[in-house]
Amino acid sequence: MNHNIISRTVHKNTRLGERYTEILHASGLKIFVYPKKCSSTYAILQVGLGSMDAEYLDAQGNACTMPLGTAHYLEHKMFENADGVNSDLRFSALGAECNAFTSYDRTAYLFNTTSNVNACLRELLRFVTHPYFTEESVERERGIIAEEIRGAADHPWERAYAQMIKAMYAQHTVRYEIAGSEQSIAQVTPELLYACTNTFYLPSNMSLAVCGNVTPAQVLRIVNEQLTSAYQKPLFAHKQFSESACVQSTRAVSYMPVPKPVFYIGLKDVDISADPAERILKDACMTLLFELIFSMSGKLCSDLYEQGHISYGMYYGYSINERVATGTAAGEAHDPEAVYAAVLAYIEKLKQEGIPKEDFERCKRVEYGNFVAEFDSPENIVNMLLSFADDGSEMLSYPSVMQNVTYEQCSAYLHQCFNEKSMCLSVVYPEDGQNQGGHDHG
Amino acid sequence: MIPTLYNITPAVNLRAIQTDRFKNAQLSVSLILPADQELSPLTTLLFSVLRRGTEQYPTIKELNLVLDMLYGASISYRNTFFGDSQVIGFVLETLGKRYLPDGEQTDPLKVGIGVIEQMLFHPLLDENGFLRADAVQSEIENTCDDIRAQINDTRSYARMRLRECMFQGQPYGASLVGKVEQVQGFTPLMLTEHWKRILQSARIECFYVGSDDPAYVASLLKNVFLDAPTSLLPMQDTTIPSPRAQVQYVDEDLAVAQGKLEIGFYTGITPDHPDAVAQSVFNELFGGSSVSRLFLNLREKKSLCYHCYSSAVAHKGIMTVSCGIHPDNREIAEREIFAELTRLQQKAVGKAELKMAQRSLINALRQCSDSPAALQSYWFGRQVFYGSTLTPERCIERVKAVTAQDVMRASRAVVPDTVYFLNGTLGGEEGDDES
């Protein structure tokens, strides 16, 4: 037994022929190694810091805040090094691609390579644990991020999503845009970024997942080399929000130069179990319900399309973790209000008449196929593995969870979660329709 | 591995790679047609109508249901230009047989090919044998909505406008979807005649990646294309134009915050050109990667933009640079882009920089074998349009052999033609984001 290991578990699914090893390292880092025969190796080192952590509790339980967009700003600046050589360049010299992204609940640093896997892993672990910020470099980044924010603001789908989430939540920090605003990022300084890494960038708040041409021993050796400090417990706690089950506002509206209205339907779910097993079951049931209601194989959307109400296909899904749970369905329609009324009426009909049994079985097949399809991509495997693991679940057990979902469980969640008061409609209308009245602003 | 070629009929080819590495299989069925201002939009509309319902699956719901029952198989719709050709068709993705639940007898590939056959050959017709007027009208409206919605994504809208301006009046300047007035003029009669004509004259290219024996896939396709034509439209040769004497400037306004600068260059370097690989290395160095000159200078050093990159469109022998900027920075961004190009044309790149670009390309080439989609995207254009048998492995050898002199020669083939600027007229205003 390696003395640098606290625990080690092998997860497998023989039906799919898939397996990986989970290791808890002495530093507190969670490691997932997924050997797979392919040319590329994909790795993510993620930090449990996302835009939702703009409000958090420090080690003493004091409420703290940071300017909106700080986690994302930090992600941009982590690639800089004291010797002046950017980590982008280092990965390129190794023949690898690297990138990073910030979401509501995490910051992920990643690489994809077909050579020099060990050196890439070393660099990934090194640069994410060695912050280096200067006044000059932080200042230079402001313009780049401002352009990123402006580019996103021109995007009607992003606008519709952003105003939907604000209409749904009154207090929860999920309501804030990930990159912040031009005003909020003006407050970011090197000191702030250092304070942030000191609090959040600890191995005990990080996970490393690697899929491809690797072995657990190989990854462990490099982690042992790079992370030598003793376990340090997290210096923060997530702030709890007491959100009402009802949305703050049932409508959110804005106007842009779009030719056809873009809409998002949001479903707010505040009933989040503390038990990961219950959450994964709910995830499976709600995913089936969204498929059942919004897919083009269902009656609602195929009718809406054939009658000319919506553009082909809607984008939909549900996600849950211990901090937040939401469902969304998005599309384009000339009259989103009429589409929304049809959606609500269809849900009501399902509640009264029951879910058609054949629809339930069909959706189970779709979800099984969609899940298995992910295993052809190391990138998808790593992302999926981390999203299950982050929420205390295990990815390869998901097919059996889905398989065991009963019709009754699904029906119960339909009644429990799909209520008009927990739902809202967000629309970006064309500017020439600005005088249409009757909408309250979220 | 080079795809195996099966001549299903004189007009229909299957190229197949058999591998059990993947859980999914992918089969594309594509019609190859000449790009054309009038006919390309008509073909695009036709394919929207074909997926509205067939004899066996009369509604969209039924068409989707049969795929859902195959464990979420999907048929997506493919429509793009390769040089002066339009490539349009369907891409079927299914689970490999091994991964179906125990006891499942259906062969998803066979059923999926049957669905494609239904859409291509047996769409719902009215009593006079025309494509149904209600489906046609509804798809005309949807297509017009799509055309109007192009401005929703200003980045791709600006790219499209650049292409239209560079190739005005030429096949490559055609639009896949067309203009609103044009599409509104299409009728069920026009579509029905066009449908019959292209099925009798188009070259059809199928590409399969999956675990099934290609001979079996070929036999399934043979049943579909029993009556396929013998008289073919000639393959469109892509014309490689020469740059105009003076750079063309086109400026347009849109009420958005960020401006989009698009610059189109001629290179004349197509995939069969001796400098094709050197050109790819040049593109990596110029703006094709996050360590390229454009990324490092315009974004990292001068903070002018969030995105700035170059792309080589080898099938047409052109290159483009795309950049999202504050409208006030338009002139400086344009100046810097041209300055970087001039620097690369005048001074040979250093060893380390060249090596980095080569490694980046090699990394991408090695990944070609990692998914059915990547394999198809590597081989499809090369095989169908150039008959090339250059494997990713041999391509890697060629990348390694590229010298700084080769790159300089490739850079000197890059000649500016058109500068398009989508001016964001809200550029000076503050956003209304909550802070």
Side-chain angles (χ1 to χ4, degrees):
Chain A
M1 180 84 182
N2 187 315
H3 65 278
N4 284 320
I5 289 179
I6 297 171
S7 67
R8 178 188 179 114
T9 321
V10 175
H11 302 285
K12 45 187 157 180
N13 182 318
T14 41
R15 181 79 193 83
L16 297 179
E18 300 290 330
R19 63 184 283 154
Y20 65 93
T21 303
E22 176 178 357
I23 297 166
L24 180 56
H25 188 252
S27 63
L29 178 74
K30 287 189 268 317
I31 308 170
F32 304 90
V33 186
Y34 202 114
K36 194 162 182 72
K37 264 193 204 158
C38 50
S39 312
S40 45
T41 299
Y42 185 93
I44 286 185
L45 177 57
Q46 74 171 29
V47 183
L49 169 66
S51 58
M52 288 199 300
D53 299 300
E55 295 171 28
Y56 64 99
L57 306 176
D58 69 11
Q60 289 73 44
N62 303 312
C64 304
T65 61
M66 58 179 108
L68 301 181
T70 303
H72 173 254
Y73 208 117
L74 186 53
E75 168 221 310
H76 273 236
K77 289 324 303 169
M78 281 310 292
F79 287 85
E80 306 239 343
N81 294 304
D83 63 2
V85 182
N86 193 294
S87 287
D88 264 329
L89 276 171
R90 291 179 201 249
F91 279 105
S92 286
L94 293 167
E97 291 166 56
C98 70
N99 209 337
F101 62 86
T102 308
S103 70
Y104 288 112
D105 58 355
R106 59 180 170 146
T107 312
Y109 299 90
L110 58 98
F111 71 76
N112 192 0
T113 190
T114 54
S115 56
N116 299 314
V117 173
N118 290 352
C120 288
L121 275 172
R122 231 170 252 129
E123 176 59 18
L124 182 67
L125 285 158
R126 192 203 59 75
F127 93 86
V128 178
T129 52
H130 289 78
Y132 177 76
F133 313 117
T134 62
E135 289 284 353
E136 187 266 330
S137 84
V138 169
E139 197 48 51
R140 207 174 48 224
E141 203 67 24
R142 229 178 291 279
I144 298 171
I145 296 177
E147 274 318 314
E148 187 179 356
I149 291 170
R150 300 164 81 91
D154 286 342
H155 217 285
W157 294 83
E158 297 203 21
R159 172 86 67 93
Y161 181 84
Q163 68 188 20
M164 173 202 75
I165 206 92
K166 285 197 180 94
M168 285 160 76
Y169 292 89
Q171 278 135 31
H172 200 297
T173 41
V174 71
R175 66 199 300 277
Y176 299 129
E177 270 127 301
I178 290 166
S181 65
E182 288 183 62
Q183 294 87 338
S184 72
I185 62 165
Q187 301 158 44
V188 173
T189 60
E191 294 70 37
L192 171 72
L193 296 184
Y194 277 120
C196 219
T197 51
N198 288 340
T199 309
F200 292 92
Y201 277 51
L202 301 177
S204 56
N205 190 35
M206 291 181 185
S207 307
L208 170 70
V210 193
C211 177
N213 264 317
V214 282
T215 63
Q218 177 190 355
V219 175
L220 191 58
R221 185 167 50 81
I222 295 165
V223 173
N224 284 342
E225 221 178 84
Q226 294 295 317
L227 302 182
T228 49
S229 58
Y231 177 84
Q232 196 181 351
K233 66 174 190 194
L235 300 175
F236 70 96
H238 295 309
K239 185 172 166 183
Q240 304 295 319
F241 298 95
S242 59
E243 277 280 346
S244 142
C246 300
V247 294
Q248 196 185 191
S249 165
T250 59
R251 293 294 185 280
V253 170
S254 65
Y255 299 87
M256 280 177 81
V258 292
K260 187 174 181 177
V262 167
F263 69 92
Y264 258 92
I265 294 169
L267 182 144
K268 179 179 180 182
D269 182 5
V270 293
D271 184 19
I272 300 176
S273 166
D275 177 1
E278 281 183 31
R279 290 199 296 270
I280 190 173
L281 173 67
K282 186 173 196 178
D283 195 352
C285 291
M286 293 294 280
T287 300
L288 286 175
L289 285 166
F290 270 83
E291 176 70 29
L292 197 142
I293 297 168
F294 294 107
S295 87
M296 287 299 276
S297 320
K299 182 159 173 47
L300 174 70
C301 288
S302 56
D303 281 356
L304 283 171
Y305 180 75
E306 292 199 348
Q307 292 156 10
H309 290 300
I310 55 169
S311 298
Y312 194 89
M314 284 178 58
Y315 307 96
Y316 51 88
Y318 172 83
S319 76
I320 181 168
N321 60 40
E322 61 178 338
R323 297 168 72 187
V324 67
T326 51
T328 57
E332 286 173 292
H334 287 296
D335 187 352
E337 286 287 344
V339 170
Y340 190 46
V343 168
L344 293 176
Y346 187 70
I347 290 168
E348 208 42 52
K349 184 169 177 282
L350 286 177
K351 282 181 181 173
Q352 280 171 14
E353 297 174 9
I355 299 166
K357 286 242 163 59
E358 62 276 17
D359 276 9
F360 174 71
E361 289 304 327
R362 163 179 71 81
C363 294
K364 271 184 139 181
R365 284 184 172 217
V366 171
E367 289 313 314
Y368 173 79
N370 288 350
F371 180 79
V372 176
E374 302 286 343
F375 287 87
D376 278 344
S377 154
E379 178 176 347
N380 291 355
I381 290 173
V382 162
N383 278 298
M384 199 160 68
L385 191 158
L386 284 171
S387 87
F388 276 96
D390 274 354
D391 200 38
S393 303
E394 194 286 298
M395 169 177 69
L396 295 177
S397 68
Y398 189 67
S400 67
V401 173
M402 182 58 83
Q403 187 61 37
N404 294 331
V405 166
T406 65
Y407 179 85
E408 289 69 31
Q409 285 167 328
C410 232
S411 301
Y413 280 123
L414 173 73
H415 285 273
Q416 190 187 315
C417 300
F418 286 81
N419 298 306
E420 198 174 341
K421 285 181 176 169
S422 310
M423 294 171 69
C424 74
L425 173 69
S426 159
V427 187
V428 172
Y429 283 104
E431 277 169 339
D432 52 18
Q434 202 144 7
N435 298 326
Q436 303 168 347
H439 306 299
D440 54 332
H441 290 246
Chain B
M1 187 196 279
I2 300 169
T4 316
L5 174 65
Y6 290 79
N7 296 114
I8 306 286
T9 78
V12 182
N13 289 325
L14 166 68
R15 294 162 207 273
I17 294 177
Q18 186 179 16
T19 166
D20 56 6
R21 276 187 52 187
F22 308 118
K23 292 188 162 54
N24 288 289
Q26 190 182 71
L27 173 78
S28 64
V29 176
S30 311
L31 278 67
I32 316 288
L33 297 159
D36 183 276
Q37 303 270 11
E38 192 59 29
L39 295 180
S40 293
L42 191 61
T43 312
T44 299
L45 179 64
L46 170 66
F47 271 73
S48 307
V49 175
L50 294 182
R51 61 178 188 186
R52 285 301 292 257
T54 73
E55 289 169 14
Q56 196 179 343
Y57 311 107
T59 62
I60 286 181
K61 181 169 182 250
E62 281 156 297
L63 269 171
N64 281 288
L65 260 178
V66 60
L67 297 170
D68 278 8
M69 294 312 280
L70 302 172
Y71 300 89
S74 67
I75 295 181
S76 55
Y77 167 65
R78 162 190 215 188
N79 189 13
T80 180
F81 288 130
F82 268 84
D84 291 354
S85 294
Q86 181 182 17
V87 176
I88 186 163
F90 300 107
V91 183
L92 167 69
E93 283 179 274
T94 68
L95 277 191
K97 284 195 197 102
R98 286 194 280 164
Y99 299 102
L100 298 177
D102 295 333
E104 182 60 56
Q105 299 297 321
T106 318
D107 175 5
L109 185 70
K110 189 175 176 185
V111 179
I113 288 177
V115 177
I116 292 178
E117 177 183 12
Q118 280 283 307
M119 290 195 284
L120 276 179
F121 295 102
H122 306 287
L124 275 191
L125 302 176
D126 65 16
E127 61 278 13
N128 300 315
F130 295 135
L131 290 160
R132 286 179 322 164
D134 59 334
V136 171
Q137 192 48 45
S138 151
E139 287 309 321
I140 286 177
E141 282 161 23
N142 288 327
T143 304
C144 291
D145 284 343
D146 291 345
I147 296 167
R148 295 187 193 102
Q150 285 168 335
I151 55 164
N152 283 1
D153 182 346
T154 49
R155 209 194 277 202
S156 61
Y157 176 75
R159 282 185 73 93
M160 180 191 75
R161 287 293 299 132
L162 171 73
R163 188 169 51 78
E164 289 177 347
C165 295
M166 264 180 102
F167 297 97
Q168 201 170 13
Q170 301 171 45
Y172 195 66
S175 159
L176 286 169
V177 287
K179 304 286 172 210
V180 168
E181 313 74 58
Q182 179 187 14
V183 174
Q184 281 170 341
F186 293 154
T187 63
L189 173 65
M190 287 162 82
L191 281 165
T192 309
E193 285 177 347
H194 186 59
W195 168 58
K196 291 181 176 162
R197 195 179 74 87
I198 62 171
L199 282 183
Q200 280 308 310
S201 58
R203 178 172 158 189
I204 296 175
E205 289 286 344
C206 308
F207 201 105
Y208 173 77
V209 182
S211 57
D212 276 315
D213 181 352
Y216 169 67
V217 183
S219 71
L220 294 176
L221 288 167
K222 194 148 202 146
N223 287 334
V224 174
F225 294 107
L226 276 180
D227 304 323
T230 45
S231 65
L232 286 176
L233 274 178
M235 275 279 275
Q236 184 84 5
D237 278 335
T238 294
T239 52
I240 304 304
S242 28
R244 60 191 93 224
Q246 215 168 13
V247 176
Q248 166 184 229
Y249 280 85
V250 182
D251 281 34
E252 289 175 345
D253 287 342
L254 190 68
V256 292
Q258 192 177 68
K260 297 285 190 291
L261 181 65
E262 291 280 332
I263 306 181
F265 301 87
Y266 285 126
T267 66
I269 298 178
T270 47
D272 52 351
H273 190 284
D275 277 340
V277 174
Q279 178 74 16
S280 305
V281 176
F282 164 74
N283 182 53
E284 291 291 314
L285 281 162
F286 181 41
S289 69
S290 62
V291 288
S292 66
R293 297 279 180 98
L294 292 183
F295 188 89
L296 291 180
N297 188 33
L298 271 82
R299 176 179 145 135
E300 298 293 295
K301 207 188 269 175
K302 300 213 154 57
S303 301
L304 288 173
C305 51
Y306 173 63
H307 78 269
C308 184
Y309 57 88
S310 64
S311 328
V313 187
H315 291 286
K316 188 62 186 173
I318 61 169
M319 180 173 272
T320 60
V321 168
S322 309
C323 183
I325 48 173
H326 192 289
D328 293 349
N329 290 330
R330 179 244 163 95
E331 274 170 32
I332 177 169
E334 184 187 330
R335 200 166 58 232
E336 289 297 329
I337 291 166
F338 282 124
E340 286 305 332
L341 176 62
T342 307
R343 263 171 232 142
L344 281 162
Q345 288 171 332
Q346 290 177 348
K347 187 165 181 278
V349 290
K351 264 192 189 155
E353 200 179 356
L354 175 62
K355 194 106 203 144
M356 205 128 72
Q358 286 167 315
R359 283 185 177 143
S360 162
L361 257 189
I362 291 167
N363 190 40
L365 283 164
R366 285 196 182 126
Q367 289 174 30
C368 284
S369 56
D370 277 351
S371 75
L375 275 167
Q376 170 142 209
S377 125
Y378 177 84
W379 282 112
F380 187 87
R382 276 183 175 80
Q383 287 246 303
V384 171
F385 294 99
Y386 297 93
S388 162
T389 53
L390 181 71
T391 60
E393 294 73 26
R394 278 182 43 227
C395 195
I396 288 170
E397 292 313 310
R398 293 201 186 170
V399 171
K400 285 180 181 163
V402 168
T403 65
Q405 287 310 312
D406 296 335
V407 171
M408 198 190 273
R409 197 173 55 249
S411 75
R412 287 178 179 169
V414 180
V415 182
D417 177 86
T418 298
V419 178
Y420 173 83
F421 184 58
L422 184 67
N423 182 33
T425 54
L426 304 180
E429 297 174 16
E430 291 298 323
D432 56 0
D433 301 280
E434 203 170 315
S435 54

